[in-house]
Amino acid sequence: MDWIEHIQERKSDVIKDTQALLRHKSVLDESTATETRPFGEGIDRTYRWLLDKAKADGFTTKDIGGYAGHIEYGEGDELVGILCHIDVVPEGDGWSKDPYGAEIADGKIIARGAIDDKGPTMAAYHALKLVKDLNLPLSKRVRLIIGTDEESQWRCVDKYFKEEEMPVTGFAPDADFPIIYSEKGICDIQYSQSVLKEQPKDVENTLVRFSSGHRLNMVPEKGEAVVKSGSPETMKTVFEEYLVQEQLQGKTSLNKEHQLVLTVQGKSVHGMEPNKGINGGLELARFLNRYHWDEQGGYFLELLAEKFARDSRGKSLGIHHINEELGDLTLNLGVLNYDQNNGGKIGVNLRYPKGVIFTDVKKTLDKILKAYRFDGSILTHEEPHMVNEDSPLIQTLSSVYEEQTGLSSKLLAIGGGTYARSLNEGVAFGPLFPHREDVAHQPDEAIHIEDLLKATSIYAQAIYELAK
């Protein structure tokens, strides 16, 4: 069967539906959350739109309390799962197009979620729709499981699998081609600073506020500090020299309280590889740490500058672990906040390969941060995930990928975490092809239309081969 030809016949529908899904803003919004829309209005509207579309297209659908749902086709006792998500990270700044306009330019659809994970979700949807429309015989049921909290705490799949059956096998279209067989462990930790009851009154510089970042799994693109300085003009001049010297973008201003406001503009990327971005908050802390501060603010800045800045591998902390096959241990400080009345908060996204003893790493982190008056609590923790290289799942997907692309299906390990780890046997499978730049979580995130169609064709054959 010529899968690619069948998808080309449906090209306009695939593109149109992908654009429609991308035009829904689906960022976590706790302020509009209710019992029936647990992650806010935007995510719920997007999620309901997709389920309604699937029902209209003749699929069986089910909603699990607004947390997650599925789109099902086929018959049989066993179940194949395709795990997708429709929530996205905040759009941030720096876009050349409307992040929710889904405009087409240079052969690409540009929008937040284009590659992570709404574009791939629609590719998987049309792949399953093709299998259904062709009325191909299946011996298993296939479910597109739609999550709504992947970019935060995975509360969606936790809820879903408490109530629904576990697929015997499956994949998540939420990473790279060829096949991701190993994913790092991922732990989000919130460290909070104990507030000093009394602060010295005669210090030269006081840190009033500090803010950077929106999500733990994103490198913060901007850092901003509000300070009281005994020599604001001098600090302003030295800061401007620092920006030039370090080839950074930034600015200074005075607020209405005549306090100095310093801003560093970094580069936001996915938190799985912080070295590809520029952490605006940590770069700002590096500058500020050269001054003498009030005790509480000084602890905050010294910790950031001396233990985390420009060191995503944890060498300064003594927790680095190098693994050429499975990837290094990495640390991303995705959310940094401070105010002089409540102290500081540091959000750490820790990723570690199989072989690292997590309890030892956490113990070391806790001990070092305790010296700066910070105590930590684990928000979420997923252990490393790996599928046997000889599994029928990997053999099937490898065969499909090689047949359709003519390329070798080399197995990969990544620092990212996908819904594949929610399955007893699951891998990440596309949509990013080997020659493409990964722009997930970045301004002007996009998916090439050629790749969208090719991925749809690969997914259609993969679904058929797994479920026939």
Side-chain angles (χ1 to χ4, degrees), residues 211-281:
S211 62
S212 182
H214 303 287
R215 289 283 189 274
L216 295 185
N217 61 353
M218 297 175 67
V219 173
E221 64 185 344
K222 184 171 76 172
E224 181 176 280
V226 178
V227 305
K228 292 179 182 177
S229 173
S231 305
E233 286 302 319
T234 300
M235 184 179 290
K236 176 178 179 293
T237 299
V238 176
F239 177 67
E240 291 168 348
E241 292 171 351
Y242 171 80
L243 294 176
V244 173
Q245 179 183 343
E246 301 295 333
Q247 298 182 319
L248 294 168
Q249 300 295 315
K251 63 181 181 180
T252 65
S253 62
L254 289 176
N255 63 18
K256 58 186 178 182
E257 287 82 24
H258 301 288
Q259 298 164 333
L260 185 60
V261 181
L262 305 176
T263 303
V264 169
Q265 188 71 37
K267 178 186 177 183
S268 180
V269 298
H270 197 296
M272 68 179 174
E273 181 41 276
N275 288 352
K276 291 183 178 180
I278 300 172
N279 191 313

Side-chain angles (χ1 to χ4, degrees), residues 18-271:
T18 300
Q19 289 178 293
L21 183 60
L22 290 168
R23 285 172 179 145
H24 290 273
K25 182 174 181 177
S26 52
V27 176
L28 176 66
D29 181 7
E30 305 277 12
S31 69
T32 60
T34 66
E35 186 175 344
T36 57
R37 56 182 193 210
F39 308 118
E41 198 171 276
I43 285 177
D44 187 71
R45 186 185 303 114
T46 310
Y47 166 70
R48 304 287 177 188
W49 178 89
L50 183 56
L51 288 187
D52 288 346
K53 174 177 174 52
K55 189 173 182 180
D57 283 341
F59 288 105
T60 299
T61 65
K62 186 174 182 179
D63 164 46
I64 309 298
Y67 281 80
H70 64 244
I71 298 164
E72 182 175 312
Y73 174 71
E75 295 180 353
D77 293 332
E78 293 188 337
L79 181 66
V80 175
I82 317 298
L83 278 74
C84 310
H85 70 91
I86 54 85
D87 61 307
V88 299
V89 296
E91 62 275 15
D93 300 323
W95 289 73
S96 66
K97 306 285 186 183
D98 178 355
Y100 302 104
E103 294 182 43
I104 295 176
D106 301 322
K108 300 178 289 187
I109 304 175
I110 301 170
R112 175 58 84 224
I115 199 74
D116 181 16
D117 186 45
K118 288 179 174 178
T121 295
M122 195 50 71
Y125 178 85
H126 273 279
L128 184 59
K129 188 173 185 296
L130 175 60
V131 172
K132 180 177 78 69
D133 291 348
L134 294 177
N135 198 29
L136 297 178
L138 303 182
S139 65
K140 302 180 181 73
R141 290 167 293 134
V142 181
R143 281 183 182 175
L144 294 188
I145 299 171
I146 309 301
T148 58
D149 189 40
E150 195 270 354
E151 298 292 1
S152 185
Q153 298 181 43
W154 287 36
R155 291 165 288 185
C156 50
V157 288
D158 289 345
K159 173 80 168 176
Y160 182 86
F161 285 119
K162 285 178 181 176
E163 301 190 18
E164 293 294 318
E165 67 183 289
M166 175 65 67
V168 295
T169 194
F171 64 86
D174 190 21
D176 298 359
F177 282 123
I179 298 168
I180 308 297
Y181 82 109
S182 176
E183 299 182 9
K184 292 180 184 177
I186 304 176
C187 183
D188 287 339
I189 311 171
Q190 177 77 58
Y191 284 96
S192 300
Q193 187 179 29
S194 300
V195 179
L196 291 173
K197 293 182 178 179
E198 293 186 10
Q199 290 258 42
K201 304 293 185 183
D202 56 349
V203 294
E204 183 179 0
N205 301 300
T206 299
L207 182 63
V208 179
R209 287 188 302 279
F210 189 105
S211 62
S212 182
H214 303 287
R215 289 283 189 274
L216 295 185
N217 61 353
M218 297 175 67
V219 173
E221 64 185 344
K222 184 171 76 172
E224 181 176 280
V226 178
V227 305
K228 292 179 182 177
S229 173
S231 305
E233 286 302 319
T234 300
M235 184 179 290
K236 176 178 179 293
T237 299
V238 176
F239 177 67
E240 291 168 348
E241 292 171 351
Y242 171 80
L243 294 176
V244 173
Q245 179 183 343
E246 301 295 333
Q247 298 182 319
L248 294 168
Q249 300 295 315
K251 63 181 181 180
T252 65
S253 62
L254 289 176
N255 63 18
K256 58 186 178 182
E257 287 82 24
H258 301 288
Q259 298 164 333
L260 185 60
V261 181
L262 305 176
T263 303
V264 169
Q265 188 71 37
K267 178 186 177 183
S268 180
V269 298
H270 197 296

Side-chain angles (χ1 to χ4, degrees), residues 436-449:
R436 296 297 191 195
E437 179 186 2
D438 187 358
V439 292
H441 294 199
Q442 296 185 38
D444 288 344
E445 178 182 344
I447 189 167
H448 289 258
I449 291 174

Side-chain angles (χ1 to χ4, degrees), residues 83 154 157-158 161 166 382 385 418-424:
L83 278 74
W154 287 36
V157 288
D158 289 345
F161 285 119
M166 175 65 67
E382 297 284 344
H385 172 76
T418 74
Y419 278 157
R421 68 175 64 222
S422 298
L423 300 174
N424 294 334

